[in-house]
Amino acid sequence: MRLIRTENYAEMSLEAGKIIVEKIRTNPSLTLGLATGSTPKGLYDYLIQDHEQNGTTYKQVKSVNLDEYIGLQTQNPNSYHYFMRQNLFNHLDISENHTHIPNGSARDLEQECLRYEQLIRELGGVDLQILGIGQNGHIGFNEPGTSFSSRTHIVTLAENTREANSRFFNSLEEVPTHAITMGIASILGSKEILLLVSGEKKAEALLKFMNGEISEDFPASALKHHENVTVIADRDALKYI
Ligand code: PGA
């Protein structure tokens, strides 16, 4: 595992952005694994700016998102479909039919999970997966206790995850209780993983990730089984390391 120490959120985003742009320039038809939340927003701003200024093209790039809430339509501003359009896709030349996000409004959700796994296989797997980490160690929406052999599946969100995410909603009640997420085994199938960690709120989780045991009680610890993981963290997140 490689650790890149950065000063702050802006530098973390810049370092991650440089790595991704380099990869796309080397392999213009890369399949990117994408994440939502506050962590990757600065990285997405960097990719947009680079696209505008340096012309990096996404015409052949494919993307696969980690997860989506169940029960929110794609037009709902809190859906991850909406987040990705607003924060990245609308500002790049990526083709809409190359962008993939689990459908949390599918009539048959079990079938949707199978479809998503099949899709990832058909794309030849994810080349580079971007990940954040939850305060409870979740990756994607894989909450503590998730099997390391899990594939795309339906999850009940942990209460602390709903509380953490309620900042985007009008109230805690509005936060969905379930989601579809790529599983731990699906994530570990990526050829390369970039884990971004920023801020003091994540310092304990990062400490546990770096120094703790490998256990299903702490989903991110599964990443230690992967041979190509780069952690990019800022000074506040590295407080205890
Ligand atoms: P955040 O979420 O980037 O909004 O902190 C990360 C996560 O919960 O995985």
Side-chain angles (χ1 to χ4, degrees), residues 36-40 132-135 138-140 165 167-168 202:
T36 50
S38 306
T39 306
I133 184 172
Q135 290 173 49
H138 74 200
I139 49 174
N165 289 5
R167 68 189 191 277
F168 301 113
K202 301 289 175 73

Side-chain angles (χ1 to χ4, degrees), residues 5-20:
R5 292 174 179 269
T6 62
E7 259 325 289
N8 51 37
Y9 180 78
E11 201 186 316
M12 177 196 76
S13 305
L14 175 74
E15 288 303 319
K18 285 197 299 198
I19 291 172
I20 292 167

Side-chain angles (χ1 to χ4, degrees), residues 166-201:
S166 67
R167 68 189 191 277
F168 301 113
F169 293 78
N170 293 322
S171 68
L172 180 60
E173 288 67 46
E174 281 184 23
V175 184
T177 53
H178 293 79
I180 297 189
T181 184
M182 277 168 66
I184 305 269
S186 332
I187 293 171
L188 292 184
S190 315
K191 295 174 190 95
E192 183 173 354
I193 294 174
L194 280 188
L195 175 65
L196 308 187
V197 196
S198 169
E200 209 178 328
K201 275 194 190 153

Side-chain angles (χ1 to χ4, degrees), residues 18-29:
K18 285 197 299 198
I19 291 172
I20 292 167
V21 167
E22 172 65 31
K23 296 269 174 207
I24 292 171
R25 291 190 165 243
T26 313
N27 175 8
S29 56

Side-chain angles (χ1 to χ4, degrees), residues 69-80:
Y69 289 116
I70 288 176
L72 299 187
Q73 299 297 317
T74 59
Q75 297 305 328
N76 186 308
N78 278 312
S79 74
Y80 289 165

Side-chain angles (χ1 to χ4, degrees), residues 76-89:
N76 186 308
N78 278 312
S79 74
Y80 289 165
H81 280 77
Y82 190 95
F83 177 100
M84 290 309 301
R85 286 196 302 271
Q86 287 293 113
N87 290 291
L88 190 64
F89 299 152

